[in-house]
Amino acid sequence: MLYALCPDCHHKWRLHLDRPLPKSGSGSYVPCPVCSCKRAIAHPELPELAIGHLDCDAFYASIEKRDRPELVDQPVIIGGGHRGVVATCCYVARKYGVRSAMPAFKARELCPDAVFLKSDMKKYQREGYRIRDMMRALTPDIEPLSIDEAFMDLTNAMETHGKSAAECLIDLQNTIKREVGITVSIGLSYNKFLAKISSDLNKPFGFSMIGRREALDFLADKPVRMMWGVGPAMERKLHADGVTTIGQLQEMDIHTLQGRYGSIGKRFFYFSRGEDNRRVEQSTERKSLSSETTFNEDIASLSELSEIAARLTSRVASDLARKEIAGHTVILKLKSSDFKLRTRNMRLTYPTLREDVILDAALTLLKKEIDGTRYRLLGVGVADLYDADMADPVDLFAGDIAAITDDAAQSDAITPETPRTVIDLPRPTAEQLRESLTRRYRQHKKKIARQQRFRF
């Protein structure tokens, strides 16, 4: 028996089928018997599933098409420029094989008629936060993954809104389309891993569910790349071991997986069986902040690269001040003309948000990389983030030096007849001096608590 819900007329009913519905295990679309809508959702566990994943469909491109209706039917690519990479592209462009992070020249070869647009991050962030506010109206338990996607825990939806999680998410999906003017896809399941997978099943403007009963069978024939945490390198390693599907991981015990792949093998064991006990965290730690640019022509000159680094550092410092955070490690990123990436970092004495301190460290790192190599990309950033009130401690000796200078000036003005007052103070010990130098930093050291990503 399946529970069904129509997104248009909100009709709810039960139906019996002798075969599974296509696309997403036991859950997919069915026609509504009342309004004939073909997007009614159905699943045997529909009232029970409560972990959702919302993902905006081709977010940047959708925003641009909304604001420029003449581009609705055209292939639109955001980013790229002369030598950059694709930030995102619409679904029309994807039919030609264009994908995010693809070099711009390759995207032009695949889709010569595409419209390339510069990204407008301020506009995208504004719309992203607008969507996030709509999500918070449903539940405070939101875990953003990026500006255009987030997890939601709707376990208490019935008590709070008098509706199931599925009903709340359908309403949210329709509200975003009506008020923001773009579409989003929703995945609903009993944990984060499967919720994220299900949101990709029926894009764009999709709503998919994966329940406990079909999780094992659903995952069995899926490629290992679908598992969270499996990138190109790990995929190659798994393929070299003869593991190409998640079903093959289901047949292995936890000790075998851990022995071969280390701690990530434990994750493979649980995820392959549809198990994920990570909670939806209301906030996640930001690990770094950076700015980078791709050049129109390769550059090898230190003076030119230093000038660009100064501009990037200015942006980073401005962002740090606006977000009221500071970085303890400065990171330099360089990409050579043959696409080889160099990443260098320098740990500072204390967290900082000062532009001159960050630039000085970045230039120190940059000078070591000037060896005749021509670079096509330069980035400057900071990591190991702290609260701004922990940054740039006051120089404890600055006041003493000023005081000594003033005393010297005053002593010159003292005549021989003026009695001199001498105060005999004991000299501080080395331990007392060390204590005074580090007191402010230690008292206010409240580094952001790191989220435990996998709680197995």
Side-chain angles (χ1 to χ4, degrees), residues 231-269:
M234 179 55 70
E235 183 182 31
R236 287 193 295 270
K237 185 174 182 179
L238 288 165
H239 285 187
D241 293 339
V243 180
T244 58
T245 66
I246 297 177
Q248 290 174 289
L249 294 173
Q250 293 173 355
E251 298 172 358
M252 302 181 187
D253 62 74
I254 190 170
H255 304 294
T256 300
L257 290 170
Q258 277 190 292
R260 175 58 179 159
Y261 306 109
S263 59
I264 198 173
K266 191 173 185 179
R267 189 196 313 173
F268 291 165
F269 176 82

Side-chain angles (χ1 to χ4, degrees), residues 322-340:
R322 187 176 68 255
K323 299 177 185 296
E324 298 184 345
I325 53 179
H328 207 319
T329 301
V330 175
I331 299 174
L332 179 75
K333 178 180 177 182
L334 291 163
K335 185 178 288 186
S336 58
S337 56
D338 57 357
F339 290 89
K340 291 183 179 179

